[in-house]
């Protein structure tokens, strides 16, 4: 029987850059499975830290974003994955070393300037295109962008 898989993650911004991870050969955003009864915001922050090496103290949730849904096949069964997203500001030093979690299949972490986003999006899933488009048009992000 199919089950709904729940996850939480973040669109991490720093100045005029967005953080992406390269996982299984595609650019993606940091996220991870929600454990039963776990807090969505705490899970998103934990996953960002684990997958990129950024420190929890340097991450600030600015806004809840829209959830996304996609189908994944596990053990021959198609499941729906629901991911809860947050807009997260990185407040630490811009020179902080990014450490990809190779145990999770992550080979690279990289900050992309807005004018470089096409490089990340051309090698990412359509759901990521949709989410980034949503973020770039959000009032909270536009206000943040103008101030940086």
């Amino acid at each position: 029987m199919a089950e709904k898989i729940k996850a939480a993650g973040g669109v991490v911004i720093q100045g005029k850059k967005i953080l992406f991870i390269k996982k299984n050969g595609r650019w993606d955003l940091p996220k991870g499975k929600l454990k039963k009864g776990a807090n969505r915001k705490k899970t998103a922050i934990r996953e960002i830290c684990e997958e990129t090496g950024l420190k929890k103290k340097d991450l600030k949730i600015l806004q809840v974003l829209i959830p996304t849904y996609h189908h994944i096949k596990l053990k021959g069964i198609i499941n729906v994955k629901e991911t809860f997203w947050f807009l997260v500001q990185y407040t630490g030093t811009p020179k902080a070393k990014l450490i990809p979690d190779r145990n999770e299949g992550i080979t690279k972490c990289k900050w992309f300037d807005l004018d470089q986003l096409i490089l990340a999006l051309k090698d990412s899933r359509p759901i990521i295109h949709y989410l980034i488009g949503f973020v770039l048009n959000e009032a909270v992000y536009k206000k943040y962008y103008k101030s940086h």
Side-chain angles (χ1 to χ4, degrees):
M1 184 166 96
E3 69 174 87
K4 187 182 272 188
I5 299 166
K6 296 183 183 236
V11 178
V12 184
I13 56 176
Q14 174 192 352
K16 296 186 177 182
K17 297 179 181 195
I18 297 177
L19 181 62
F20 282 81
I21 60 171
K22 189 98 178 209
K23 184 172 182 173
N24 301 323
R26 291 186 174 192
W27 287 109
D28 204 343
L29 298 168
K31 65 184 173 305
K33 197 170 179 181
L34 262 170
K35 293 176 177 78
K36 198 163 188 84
N39 178 287
R40 294 173 185 174
K41 289 179 181 179
K42 287 179 182 176
T43 297
I45 296 296
R46 185 192 74 237
E47 291 295 330
I48 293 165
C49 295
E50 288 176 4
E51 294 187 352
T52 68
L54 294 178
K55 304 289 182 235
K56 180 180 173 182
K57 68 177 179 61
D58 296 327
L59 297 170
K60 175 184 171 191
I61 292 179
L62 298 179
Q63 180 178 347
V64 176
L65 299 172
I66 55 169
T68 58
Y69 302 86
H70 74 276
H71 294 87
I72 57 174
K73 196 172 190 176
L74 295 171
K75 299 177 186 171
I77 299 170
I78 296 176
N79 295 273
V80 175
K81 183 175 183 182
E82 179 180 32
T83 305
F84 302 98
W85 294 101
F86 299 90
L87 182 61
V88 180
Q89 179 184 7
Y90 173 67
T91 59
T93 174
K95 299 203 187 291
K97 184 175 178 172
L98 296 169
I99 305 166
D101 184 355
R102 298 199 185 277
N103 294 330
E104 290 287 329
I106 301 167
T107 55
K108 191 171 188 178
C109 303
K110 182 176 178 182
W111 292 103
F112 283 89
D113 288 305
L114 291 186
D115 61 355
Q116 300 174 318
L117 274 182
I118 191 69
L119 299 174
L121 294 176
K122 74 181 179 79
D123 287 330
S124 65
R125 298 180 194 280
I127 203 83
I128 300 300
H129 297 220
Y130 175 75
L131 184 61
I132 294 298
F134 178 84
V135 167
L136 296 178
N137 287 296
E138 267 297 289
V140 169
Y141 177 77
K142 286 180 176 181
K143 184 178 177 185
Y144 169 86
Y145 183 83
K146 283 182 182 177
S147 69
H148 287 82

